[in-house]
């Protein structure tokens, strides 16, 4: 790469990036922003940035999410992976640690003009090694859906079984049987009914019961995978 076209690195020896996933319009999507400058100008990148000398990694990624893409309501955040390829950034050697963040489908952060939710099944050209981080985040989420209650971080606080099915199906990337989903969720005691019901539609019928997750903290609920990702 022509060094005349690449700005000098400021520089941070370590950066953090966030793979923020959410089910948007029934589709698993990742939050990305479009770079305006080299390297990788006009390509899409994960939000993140440098880690200050006195900053811990988790503090740094929460700061970048709040400052750069106005995301403050992350229902779950965990460290995902660290990449140390010497040439991952053409400006200088920079280590990168990625975090997996999950945002409920009911939360709509106010995004800057250069930022949007990108469907993971149809990603645009990405910057740096961010596509690898995204793949790792999707794999981690889909695996944890099989043995934990991590669905709480994707679903609204209260939902009908139909709404939960749409969220879980979107996250897994394939349609889940509503009957099987309800059986699995209730057998594991992941969800519980609330006192609320959804009003009947114009055609009438029995109002749908609303549910919520019993816990909104990550818990291992079944070591045996039931809702297996394909």
């Amino acid at each position: 790469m022509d060094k005349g076209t690449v700005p000098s690195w400021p520089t941070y020896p370590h950066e953090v990036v966030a793979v923020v996933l959410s089910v948007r319009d029934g589709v698993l999507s990742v939050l990305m922003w479009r770079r305006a400058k080299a390297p990788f100008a006009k390509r899409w990148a994960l939000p993140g940035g440098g880690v200050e000398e006195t900053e811990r990694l988790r503090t740094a990624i929460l700061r970048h999410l709040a400052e750069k893409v106005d995301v403050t309501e992350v229902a779950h955040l965990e460290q995902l992976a660290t990449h140390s390829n010497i040439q991952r950034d053409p400006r200088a050697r920079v280590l990168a640690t990625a975090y997996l963040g999950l945002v409920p489908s009911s939360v709509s952060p106010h995004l800057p003009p250069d930022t949007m939710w990108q469907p993971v099944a149809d990603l645009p050209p990405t910057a740096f090694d961010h596509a690898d981080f995204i793949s790792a985040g999707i794999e981690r989420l889909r695996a944890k859906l099989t043995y934990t209650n991590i669905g709480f971080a994707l679903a609204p606080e209260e939902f009908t079984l139909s709404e939960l099915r749409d969220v879980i199906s979107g996250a897994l990337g394939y349609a889940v049987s509503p009957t099987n989903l309800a059986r699995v969720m209730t057998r594991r005691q992941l969800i519980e009914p609330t006192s609320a019901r959804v009003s009947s539609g114009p055609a009438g019928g029995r109002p749908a019961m609303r549910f919520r997750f019993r816990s909104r903290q990550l818990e291992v609920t079944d070591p045996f995978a039931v809702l297996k990702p394909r």
Side-chain angles (χ1 to χ4, degrees), residues 16-31:
V16 285
V17 295
V19 181
V20 180
L21 299 176
S22 184
V23 176
R24 298 281 139 176
D25 297 322
V27 176
L28 185 63
S29 303
V30 59
L31 191 65

Side-chain angles (χ1 to χ4, degrees), residues 34-61:
R34 198 173 190 185
R35 293 179 58 84
K37 300 179 180 180
F40 304 107
K42 298 184 179 181
R43 288 202 173 199
W44 291 84
L46 295 171
V51 180
E52 301 288 354
E53 291 183 2
T54 59
E55 218 173 18
R56 296 177 68 90
L57 296 178
R58 186 183 181 91
T59 303
I61 194 57

Side-chain angles (χ1 to χ4, degrees), residues 92-110:
R93 187 182 186 189
V94 182
L95 276 68
T97 294
Y99 277 78
L100 171 63
L102 302 179
V103 173
S105 58
S106 55
V107 173
S108 297
H110 179 71

